[in-house]
Amino acid sequence: MVLNDRAYTIRVRFPDQSRSSLDNMSNTLLTSATGRTATLGSLAQVINDPGETEIRRENLQRLVQVTARLEGVDMGSGVAAVQKAVSDMHLPASIRVEYGGLYEEDRKSSRDLMMVLLVALLLLFAVLLFEFRTFSAPTAILGSALLSTFGGFLALLVTGTTFNVASRMGMIMVIGIVAKNGILLLDAEHRFRSLGLSAEESMIQAGRRRLRPIAMTALATIAGMLPLAFGIGAGSEMLKPLAITVIGGLISSMVLSLIFTPAIHYYLYRGKTHAEAV
């Protein structure tokens, strides 16, 4: 079919009763464009042709490839159903089953993204340690950033979106954005403390000063992600999990950046002060 100068492939499949046997296939009634009817057996000869004999091997082992085209189900649920079906078959130990295709690519991408996340956290901690010259600030910022990812998980759960490669990329983006908010907050706290204010008062004043920039940054990012989250535009379905994860993480970060980050830093810094006093 050609629609708007673009070709679309259409597959037509008869009901099960029409293709359950050769006789039923031969008696299938067809209607031409002029309205005349005829059976498939009167127009063609339907025969049962056995498949070609072929033996595939990989690393000197026999290989049989089984493929499937899943519709209306996500890849995780589909692979889980396939694994359950294979497990129920109770195959002998001499038969080895491996799951490849898109499932293997997704697992490989997940491992790569996990490595990227760990390296990013280490580099971020090193940069924050060099900037603040204390362990309390990097610990507070990274702790709040990691806690913000639970907002992304909750958003995926509420919307029924699968946790895939795009959503993992969204988690990495959330950690970077929340870490930036923590830097703004603790940098303002450091300036107030250098003016002679107490640690508690410095935290309160820094929260008041940085409330608007943090809220405006989060709201602007959420507004930019909304078209992707609603699936508006071509190719948006692929990035929809990323947008939902970022929106959920940023909503939770507006609370965590202003409460958990200063609270963690305050208690760690106060403990360090008491230790130095002793």
Side-chain angles (χ1 to χ4, degrees), residues 124 128 141-142 145 174-184 257:
L124 181 58
L128 294 176
I141 293 174
L142 290 183
V174 168
I175 291 176
I177 296 174
V178 176
K180 182 264 302 177
N181 293 338
I183 293 173
L184 291 176
S257 297

Side-chain angles (χ1 to χ4, degrees), residues 69-75 77-78:
R69 181 178 180 180
L70 305 178
E71 296 182 359
V73 62
D74 59 273
M75 185 173 60
S77 302

